Amino acid sequence: MAKILIIEDDKFLRELISQKVAREGYEVLDAVDGESGLKMAQAESPDLILLDLILPGMDGFEVLSRIKGDEKTGKVPVVIISNLGQKDDVDKGMAMGAADYLIKAHFTPGEIVEKIASVLSSGKDSAAAA
Amino acid sequence: MIFSRFSINGAVRFTGALLFLASLVSIYVAVSFAPVVALAFVAGVNIFAVSFLVFSVTRGFLLPLREIRNLVAGVKNAGFSGRVKEHGSSEMRDLARAFNIMMANAAEAQEKEREIERMKTEFVSLAAHQLRNPLSVIRWTLQVMLEGDYGPVPKKQRELLQKTFESNESMIRLINDLLDVSRIEEGRYLYEPAFKDIVAVVNSMADKYKEEAERRGVALLVQEVSGGVPLVYIDEEKIRLAIQNLLENALRYTPRGGRVTIELSHDTKEVRVAVRDTGMGIPESQQRRVFQKFFRATNAKSLDSEGSGLGLYLVKNIIQAHGGSVEFQTQEGKGSVFTLRVPLGKIESAPDAAGIRGISKGA
């Protein structure tokens, strides 16, 4: 069973997405800010991380760069879920190594779950090919 | 300064005929009399004094006055930042001083106005960003309920949830439009143009709206009036947004059984994308305001509550940024056609133009 780490500061959004992801049969971990999210990423080695960008304290871009910069977590696919929808933000996130960038207002939890499945399976494909 | 003033008095004493009143009128009188006075002097008095007089008038009045005139003429382009040198006769110095104070006040007022405009735009942008989170929460909640994650939803409740979901969607669209408008107004709406196949863009937009057109019972067609449309230098994302706005309007305001056609044509100067509908049209009295922010035709408002009134404002800004223009023809009850004209000019100046112009798309 794949393990998904959700880093999202909004309690309600975090719960909604956690429940949706858990319902699909994934194991769910969640963190309310960047610092605790990073710790969890290192301690729990999740298979995928859902990352919000606007977080209290360390922001999502910083979290992303630390995840990617750490050899223990560098290979874990990170899907950004944010309301920052500007092309600049999307480009920046993708350039920093995000697997995908979902704008909250344009995606529903169901679609996010589909995205998780497709990112996980493409990861498996490339692992198998390697 | 003192010298020039003294010399005027001296000159007046020499001629013994002319009195200089310290008013702007008298300067011109002096200037127009100068030749007359000169004649008198040539008749035997003192040529030196005349040149001195002319020189003094020039230094004391004309030069400072010309500086003020030049500054006033420049205000339109340079704003209120310029100041004049306070020199010349004492009257001219007073005038220059008063003029400089006036310029400073005007500059301050203008700066204040700009500041308010900036604050307004910032507020809209901040409010819009802040609204996106709660709107996302509502969207997500309604969606998981509609998907039956929390148990089956009876038909009537489903209908209401669906309607609420749609209202929320239009609110999200409004927020997105507002953010785009505030970006335009802050000058942060950046364009990244590249050579693109506009035929492909139009076809994919038509594909995107096929389903919605079917749902509304409206035929949606693409018509390539002229074949071989060349690549165009555009920001594809923005042009998509412009076409999207025209298509959404056309579909929204065309009754069941109607037809929406996207017509593509070009000549040596431009590519034209026209969205033609058989919809309700825009009342003549309101046609002037079509591209204004928040404009919505009265007949459109009575039909639904969806539009934000920002779509055509965005379209106009996007197309103008491409050096093009938007035109429309409309007849109430018969339909409208909105035409985007995007110039091909830039292609000719591009280094790799030759290859690009050769590419052609089949009709």
Side-chain angles (χ1 to χ4, degrees):
Chain A
M1 182 176 29
K3 210 191 275 182
I4 313 292
L5 169 60
I6 300 166
I7 309 177
E8 161 70 64
D9 64 322
D10 188 290
K11 183 168 180 285
F12 193 32
L13 281 182
R14 192 173 63 244
E15 282 172 9
L16 263 178
I17 187 76
S18 296
Q19 284 172 19
K20 186 79 187 176
V21 171
R23 204 180 292 268
E24 296 295 317
Y26 296 106
E27 186 183 341
V28 178
L29 303 161
D30 57 25
V32 296
D33 59 31
E35 281 86 356
S36 58
L38 265 181
K39 265 186 214 139
M40 236 179 246
Q42 278 161 357
E44 305 276 347
S45 4
D47 298 289
L48 185 144
I49 298 170
L50 283 181
L51 175 66
D52 187 15
L53 287 180
I54 301 176
L55 294 168
M58 190 191 297
D59 78 1
F61 285 121
E62 178 68 27
V63 175
L64 178 59
S65 90
R66 294 205 189 187
I67 289 173
K68 289 293 159 192
D70 188 317
E71 70 178 71
K72 200 165 171 217
T73 53
K75 292 217 164 59
V76 181
V78 177
V79 174
I80 293 175
I81 40 166
S82 175
N83 260 333
L84 294 178
Q86 272 290 75
K87 198 169 178 298
D88 289 356
D89 300 313
V90 179
D91 289 348
K92 186 176 170 190
M94 296 307 284
M96 286 173 71
D100 211 332
Y101 192 116
L102 310 181
I103 296 164
K104 282 179 195 165
H106 300 169
F107 282 84
T108 60
E111 287 165 329
I112 291 170
V113 166
E114 282 168 26
K115 187 57 78 177
I116 290 174
S118 84
V119 169
L120 283 177
S121 74
S122 74
K124 249 179 241 150
D125 292 348
S126 61
Chain B
M1 306 293 149
I2 291 169
F3 169 75
S4 67
R5 192 165 141 203
F6 166 79
S7 62
I8 285 178
N9 292 339
V12 169
R13 214 181 305 124
F14 260 109
T15 63
L18 282 172
L19 255 174
F20 283 86
L21 291 171
S23 79
L24 297 184
V25 179
S26 64
I27 301 164
Y28 288 104
V29 172
V31 176
S32 45
F33 276 165
V36 182
V37 179
L39 268 179
F41 276 86
V42 169
V45 196
N46 193 336
I47 267 187
F48 178 71
V50 175
S51 21
F52 207 67
L53 169 69
V54 172
F55 173 76
S56 311
V57 168
T58 307
R59 287 267 320 236
F61 291 94
L62 289 184
L63 284 182
L65 204 57
R66 195 170 295 157
E67 282 168 24
I68 292 180
R69 184 199 62 192
N70 289 346
L71 197 64
V72 170
V75 160
K76 192 167 175 245
N77 295 322
F80 297 109
S81 61
R83 299 288 179 268
V84 285
K85 217 157 72 182
E86 291 168 21
H87 65 142
S89 70
S90 79
E91 293 81 6
M92 286 317 297
R93 289 205 302 276
D94 287 348
L95 179 63
R97 205 169 298 127
F99 184 77
N100 280 340
I101 291 171
M102 190 191 77
M103 286 287 279
N105 288 345
E108 200 181 315
Q110 195 185 38
E111 185 46 43
K112 216 175 263 171
E113 196 183 319
R114 282 198 189 133
E115 179 62 25
I116 289 171
E117 194 59 34
R118 257 200 302 277
M119 280 165 65
K120 198 186 78 188
T121 309
E122 254 178 51
F123 170 76
V124 169
S125 152
L126 195 75
H129 266 298
Q130 294 298 326
L131 278 171
R132 279 177 96 162
N133 251 330
L135 288 174
S136 301
V137 171
I138 296 170
R139 183 177 209 264
W140 287 19
T141 313
L142 291 172
Q143 188 67 27
V144 291
M145 287 175 84
L146 281 166
E147 282 170 11
D149 283 16
Y150 298 91
V153 184
K155 189 164 174 280
K156 186 68 200 165
Q157 288 183 24
R158 169 172 295 277
E159 268 174 40
L160 287 174
L161 286 177
Q162 189 64 43
K163 280 203 178 115
T164 317
F165 183 79
E166 275 153 25
S167 295
N168 191 57
E169 289 294 279
S170 65
M171 205 133 61
I172 290 173
R173 266 199 302 276
L174 170 65
I175 295 294
N176 288 340
D177 286 354
L178 271 175
L179 280 171
D180 279 341
V181 166
S182 71
R183 274 177 210 127
I184 287 174
E185 288 174 353
E186 284 174 37
R188 290 193 295 114
Y189 206 56
L190 302 178
Y191 289 84
E192 289 173 24
F195 289 104
K196 296 284 177 171
D197 178 1
I198 198 155
V199 182
V201 172
V202 165
N203 281 329
S204 84
M205 292 307 291
D207 270 355
K208 193 175 156 192
Y209 282 90
K210 217 170 113 190
E211 228 171 85
E212 186 178 338
E214 269 169 29
R215 195 158 45 79
R216 289 178 180 270
V218 174
L220 177 58
L221 310 161
V222 178
Q223 218 172 49
E224 230 177 292
V225 178
S226 56
V229 177
L231 296 194
V232 199
Y233 195 67
I234 51 171
D235 181 323
E236 185 180 333
E237 212 183 313
K238 305 279 195 302
I239 293 290
R240 271 179 193 279
L241 186 61
I243 297 174
Q244 175 181 325
N245 272 299
L246 294 187
L247 271 180
E248 280 176 359
N249 280 349
L251 288 172
R252 197 178 290 156
Y253 303 124
T254 300
R256 212 155 256 285
R259 168 199 292 257
V260 172
T261 319
I262 315 177
E263 297 164 1
L264 262 161
S265 60
H266 77 288
D267 55 30
T268 52
K269 290 200 194 86
E270 61 182 16
V271 170
R272 290 175 295 271
V273 180
V275 177
R276 185 184 298 277
D277 65 52
T278 57
M280 57 169 54
I282 301 160
E284 206 178 333
S285 62
Q286 294 167 27
Q287 291 176 8
R288 263 182 322 117
R289 299 193 292 125
V290 159
F291 293 110
Q292 280 173 16
K293 249 190 292 183
F294 301 110
F295 167 79
R296 298 197 61 214
T298 43
N299 53 350
K301 272 190 270 193
S302 63
L303 187 78
D304 75 354
S305 55
E306 267 185 34
S308 66
L310 293 170
L312 288 174
Y313 175 80
L314 286 174
V315 171
K316 188 193 74 177
N317 271 283
I318 289 169
I319 300 303
Q320 282 179 349
H322 281 82
S325 61
V326 190
E327 284 162 18
F328 68 94
Q329 286 170 307
T330 181
Q331 205 180 343
E332 199 173 357
K334 291 268 174 66
S336 308
V337 49
F338 279 81
T339 307
L340 311 179
R341 298 167 169 271
V342 183
L344 285 171
K346 285 211 165 165
I347 286 187
E348 275 145 13
S349 62
D352 48 355
I356 282 152
R357 277 185 103 57
I359 296 173
S360 65
K361 285 273 301 181

